[in-house]
Amino acid sequence: MQQTSLATTGFELAAKRTRKRAFLAEMDQVIPWSDLLALIAPHAPAGRTGRPPFAIEVMLRIHLLQQFFGHSDPAMEEALHDIPLYREFAHLDAGITRLPDESTILRFRHLLEQHDLGQQILALVNAQLTERGLMLKQGTVIDATLISAPSSTKNHSGERDPEMHQTKKGNQWHFGMKTHIGVDADSGLVHTVTTTAANAHDITQAHALLHGQEEVVFADSGYRGVHKREEVQAQHPDVDWQIAMMPGQRKAMDQSQPVNALKEQLEQIKASIRAKVEHPFRVIKCQFGHRKVRYRGLAKNTSQLLVMFALSNLWMVRKRILQALQA
């Protein structure tokens, strides 16, 4: 006779507070669930026939789990079956008879894309952070990063994604897309996101990355001459553009001259401010593991990135939010 396992008799070991469990516990407290659900609820299907649909909160939690850990729709379905912690975070009770399958997960993602809810989620999160005094609007830092896409043509269509493109950075070629962001110069929180094919120049998106209330904008040397562009002069004529000096020009300065020494100090100050734009990129690439696109086309990937940057904003200020909640 097979011996009964203690894992099925109610004598389970106490759950260790692993890094993944601690991460999900913190995010569970700082995510504004009620406001997000109110945002999505008007667009959710009624489900009057057939099996009752899963609760919106359950599907939203599963969607955010995908962003946290980089799961595709099929992988997310399997993870829900395999990992109790995921079911716990998604509020799927132990006695539930079925779990959302990959088609259900996909339909919820399409719901967010169809109604442009990714942009609204980012705006909602930023509005709450602004109310808490965590995001100011006097300055902006802008930058872009490359996100790789599959370059192989061994797929059902026999071609690469037509909305992606290749570009050369340094001595290496990259195929994929660019994510352009505008972040708050004080906190480093993302307020604006745009996407393009990888071969688009960073400067073409500069005007779209400003919210219109900033007085000064910081950018690297790739944006030199941005103040002369027509769209910038038309939409943001009063902005003070602080563009980094070209590296070669900066290296050639004679530091023994007092004027050049002051210029070097100014460049160091500008560089310390610009460094804040790299923090959100680090969160989505290292913390969330998003180094390659998950879908074909810019629209789907943009919707995903908007949600991820909303989550990265919450992640970056989670300690301050939790301290305020405990006070």
Side-chain angles (χ1 to χ4, degrees):
M1 183 176 66
Q2 184 176 4
Q3 184 177 0
T4 303
S5 171
L6 289 177
T8 60
T9 60
F11 292 96
E12 294 84 354
L13 294 173
K16 177 182 178 181
R17 187 172 175 81
T18 60
R19 285 182 295 177
K20 183 178 290 187
R21 180 176 292 275
F23 166 75
L24 289 179
E26 290 180 342
M27 294 305 294
D28 193 14
Q29 295 182 67
V30 300
I31 293 174
W33 294 110
S34 58
D35 294 322
L36 293 180
L37 294 176
L39 183 67
I40 299 171
H43 308 287
R48 297 186 179 88
T49 60
R51 292 186 301 180
F54 289 95
I56 301 175
E57 182 176 1
V58 170
M59 298 310 303
L60 175 60
R61 286 175 174 271
I62 292 174
H63 182 72
L64 298 190
L65 280 171
Q66 286 185 279
Q67 313 317 317
F68 291 146
F69 303 114
H71 294 308
S72 64
D73 299 335
M76 191 69 243
E77 178 187 356
E78 293 191 1
L80 288 173
H81 285 272
D82 293 338
I83 305 176
L85 177 60
Y86 286 6
R87 297 196 298 272
E88 179 184 333
F89 180 82
H91 289 182
L92 292 167
D93 298 332
I96 197 169
T97 57
R98 66 187 179 97
L99 296 175
D101 58 16
E102 60 177 283
S103 298
T104 305
I105 296 171
L106 178 144
R107 285 194 295 271
F108 183 80
R109 174 166 58 82
H110 285 178
L111 174 72
L112 300 183
E113 295 168 359
Q114 179 182 356
H115 299 285
D116 195 23
L117 292 177
Q119 182 66 58
Q120 297 178 50
I121 288 173
L122 178 61
L124 185 150
V125 168
N126 286 346
Q128 295 199 357
L129 295 180
T130 302
E131 289 179 2
R132 292 177 177 269
L134 299 174
M135 180 181 290
L136 305 177
K137 294 190 174 181
Q138 296 179 347
T140 289
V141 188
I142 60 175
D143 202 357
T145 189
L146 290 166
I147 300 181
S148 300
S151 58
S152 174
T153 58
K154 295 180 180 179
N155 49 52
H156 69 280
S157 62
E159 61 179 12
R160 296 176 174 180
D161 187 340
E163 296 187 24
M164 305 294 170
H165 210 282
Q166 64 182 8
T167 187
K168 191 175 184 180
K169 184 176 182 179
N171 293 322
Q172 187 174 0
W173 286 94
H174 301 267
F175 180 80
M177 62 180 288
K178 266 186 184 178
T179 301
H180 310 257
I181 63 173
V183 309
D184 181 55
D186 179 69
S187 62
L189 301 177
V190 178
H191 59 71
T192 310
V193 180
T194 64
T195 59
T196 62
N199 63 331
H201 198 285
D202 297 356
I203 201 172
T204 61
Q205 296 297 304
H207 68 288
L209 297 177
L210 309 187
H211 51 63
Q213 300 180 34
E214 54 269 293
E215 300 173 358
V216 59
V217 178
F218 298 87
D220 61 31
S221 57
Y223 292 86
R224 61 189 184 280
V226 63
H227 62 284
K228 300 178 182 179
R229 295 182 65 87
E230 294 181 3
E231 64 274 18
V232 171
Q233 293 179 354
Q235 300 179 28
H236 310 285
D238 300 325
V239 169
D240 178 19
W241 292 88
Q242 294 292 330
I243 308 301
M245 186 183 297
M246 288 291 292
Q249 183 181 359
R250 182 177 175 184
K251 187 177 181 180
M253 287 193 309
D254 183 3
Q255 299 296 328
S256 62
Q257 297 183 8
V259 174
N260 290 340
L262 290 174
K263 289 182 179 180
E264 176 62 22
Q265 292 181 10
L266 177 60
E267 290 301 314
Q268 292 178 2
I269 294 173
K270 290 193 292 185
S272 66
I273 298 174
R274 290 200 316 275
K276 295 180 180 180
V277 79
E278 302 297 339
H279 298 175
F281 290 146
R282 185 205 67 82
V283 173
I284 68 165
K285 289 188 174 184
C286 300
Q287 182 69 36
F288 299 161
H290 186 71
R291 297 178 180 273
K292 294 183 179 180
V293 301
R294 190 177 300 164
Y295 313 111
R296 288 177 68 87
L298 289 176
K300 293 182 178 181
N301 287 292
T302 301
S303 178
Q304 179 194 15
L305 285 165
L306 287 165
V307 175
M308 294 187 76
F309 280 116
L311 295 175
S312 77
N313 283 352
L314 292 171
W315 167 251
M316 290 170 63
V317 297
R318 71 193 186 284
K319 298 296 185 183
R320 297 172 65 179
I321 295 177
L322 292 174
Q323 289 176 359
L325 292 176
Q326 295 170 1

